[in-house]
C-alpha cells in the first residue's frame, strides 16, 4: 500500500499529503485517512503530516476542499 512513497530527502508539501489522501481514500476507504497510516504508506514520519495540518480533522477539511477544487477544474476542462 504505497500512496506516494518518496525519497526521505524530499520535502513534502500539504498538497502531497492531500493527493496521497485522495488516493488512499479511493483505494482503501475512509479508514485509510489516518496520519500514521498515510505516513507509513508514504515512507515518511508522522511529523511531516503535523507540520502541515494541526490535526486529522483539519486534514479531512483540507482534503474535502482539495477534492472540490480538483473536481471543479475537471468539470470546467470537460
Amino acid at each position: 500500500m504505497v500512496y506516494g512513497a518518496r525519497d526521505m530527502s524530499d520535502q513534502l508539501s500539504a498538497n502531497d499529503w492531500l493527493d496521497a489522501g485522495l488516493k488512499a481514500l479511493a483505494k482503501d476507504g475512509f479508514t485509510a485517512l489516518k496520519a500514521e497510516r498515510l505516513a507509513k504508506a508514504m515512507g515518511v514520519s508522522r511529523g511531516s503530516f503535523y507540520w502541515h495540518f494541526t490535526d486529522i480533522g483539519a486534514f479531512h477539511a483540507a482534503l474535502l476542499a482539495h477534492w472540490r477544487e480538483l473536481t471543479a477544474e475537471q468539470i470546467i476542462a470537460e
Side-chain angles (χ1 to χ4, degrees):
M1 147 180 55
V2 176
Y3 306 121
R6 302 173 67 94
D7 183 322
M8 288 297 286
S9 65
D10 291 344
Q11 293 282 352
L12 290 176
S13 69
N15 275 346
D16 292 328
W17 282 99
L18 295 171
D19 290 339
L22 288 176
K23 289 175 186 170
L25 180 61
K27 184 177 185 291
D28 296 319
F30 185 74
T31 59
L33 299 180
K34 297 180 180 173
E36 182 69 32
R37 188 168 174 181
L38 286 169
K40 186 176 180 181
M42 295 171 71
V44 298
S45 74
R46 221 175 28 177
S48 174
F49 176 89
Y50 289 107
W51 177 259
H52 297 290
F53 307 100
T54 55
D55 57 28
I56 198 69
F59 174 71
H60 289 170
L63 188 66
L64 182 57
H66 185 63
W67 174 79
R68 276 190 218 134
E69 181 180 322
L70 292 174
T71 303
E73 288 174 7
Q74 184 179 5
I75 290 170
I76 292 167
E78 290 176 5

